[in-house]
Amino acid sequence: MGSLRFRVAAFQAAACAIITFWSRVSASTVAKGTSAATKATPNAAAVNAAWKANSSCCQALALSLPGKISTPSGEPYKSSIASYWSLQEQGVSPACVVIPESNSDVSIAVIVLAEGSKILNNEGCKFAIRGGGHTPWAGSANIQGGITIDLSGLNEIIVSSNQTQVSIGAGNRWESVYLKLDALGLSTSGGRVSSVGVGGLTLGGGISFFSPRYGLVCDNVINFEIVLASGDTVNANSTSYPDLFQALKGGSNNFGIVTNFKMRAFTQGKFWGGFIGHNISTRFQQFQYFETFARSSTYDPYAALINSYSHTASEGWYIASDFEYTKPEAYPAVFKNFTDLPQTFSTMRISNLTDFTTEIEEYNPAGSRELFATATFANNATMQEKFFDLANQTVQSITNVTKMTLSMSFQPLPQVIIGHGAFNGGNSLGLDLSDGDLVNVLLTIQWADEADDAAVNNAAQNLFSRAETASKTMGTHNPYLYLNYAADFQNPIAGYGNESYSTLKAVSQKYDPGQLFQKQVPGGFKLPESGAYQD
């Protein structure tokens, strides 16, 4: 009984100390949006009291953030886990889920977790950071037995009075953003699938229907509000923390937890888009048309194309491509080569961005086992055909996988998109106009049975190894890997090149000297130890 009284007293003392501590922190913060940090001055005794009361990371968080921590028996926990896109991520079970409702909540969580990592030495409080939860591989934005910080409560969307900027909470998905902006006749450069999260897509670079006009999604960020490893909040932009600002544009979760993105907004009405189906026999014609379409010298900045080839056991190979023209102009000349081919189906129409991104979501529903993997090569029809041949061989090697769909999507990455990066203050992706016009390829595999995981992953890894060898032989290889499409066996940050890698390492060491986000956040793509690829 005495032991119980001591334990309750310890918890009460810890709670009182932490309440006092956070009252002091709140009083010392500066106005949001200024260049100065929102300064937290941790009272070590207050945080240590929580650890003395109970050495569990989740219990220490519960003392600091009452009502915002959920354990496996709680409905918020169950809802959070069920909202991941892939079954692999849904199968990961953290010890608890933190659901912050403000930037201050995130700051508190980081300070407690950082202190716990010191007290618990090597093991520390391992944690994950999740926005939309769309990256498919297990542990990418979730963590077995650790703490998952679910940012879905950071869901504000505020349009500036002059309608040139929009502030987006990091827990939003793009559908919520577009619903608000469509109603105002506005848009921003964002994701093309409605359920994808704002945070992960933007920090990984981000491809948009508007990328030919405005660049990658990260190139349209004006300000990142970010909680650093110290618990301090800073606003990183072109004049305040400019090195961090550039690093975050492609640097993923390696520097802190971004809680808000301020992005450019622009006038945008309805436009023409949808899917068109074609017979697989037209594929090499389409590769040739794609090569012509994707040349910067003649690129139409209003045109966006996802040229996709899919295989199922019941249907074999078929083509279903997404065409978007961000003007209300049906069947523009730039797509004529494709649209003149005999069609198996069409959903082409004039509508709004929300509608088009919801349509793509319907083609990629949640609830399957999923794999993404990616490559980049020079704009070359023969290389596209070679990749198709290798993918077809891959399909034949895993025909016994249950309910499998394999798709490859080719997307232009021409100089007209890449060039916006430097114009908007630079990013960390390592892409340069000297790379010429590039093609991104995304492999997506969906299947049903966990017993097939190893076979699928091994087949995909073998495919990309052979594709890399072929592209080097053909002189079309490029080391860049689009982070948001990368598999867990790939290393996209290494593909940014030595200069970018060195800069990212320096920024990490400057703003996270204890390397909290390298050591205690194992998910996502970390800054590689051995440097960039050598080509």
Side-chain angles (χ1 to χ4, degrees), residues 32 101-103 130-132 151-158 166-174 176-177 196-200 202 223 225 258-263:
K32 179 178 175 181
E101 297 176 358
S102 66
N103 169 274
R130 67 128 343 157
L151 300 176
S152 60
L154 306 182
N155 55 12
E156 67 176 8
I157 303 168
I158 301 174
V166 55
S167 293
I168 306 170
N172 279 290
R173 298 171 190 251
W174 287 106
S176 299
V177 178
V196 166
V198 169
T202 306
N223 185 82
E225 179 187 80
V258 176
T259 54
N260 186 276
F261 301 81
K262 182 178 289 185
M263 304 191 69

Side-chain angles (χ1 to χ4, degrees), residues 340-354:
D340 279 355
L341 292 169
Q343 300 177 10
T344 57
F345 73 91
S346 173
T347 68
M348 303 309 295
R349 64 209 183 275
I350 291 177
S351 189
N352 60 35
L353 183 57
T354 305

Side-chain angles (χ1 to χ4, degrees), residues 12 34 52 55 68 93 125 136 210 278 295 314 321 351 382 532:
Q12 290 174 335
T34 65
K52 288 178 180 178
S55 61
K68 295 170 184 176
S93 300
C125 291
F210 306 111
H278 295 104
R295 290 175 183 153
S314 60
S321 297
S351 189
T382 305

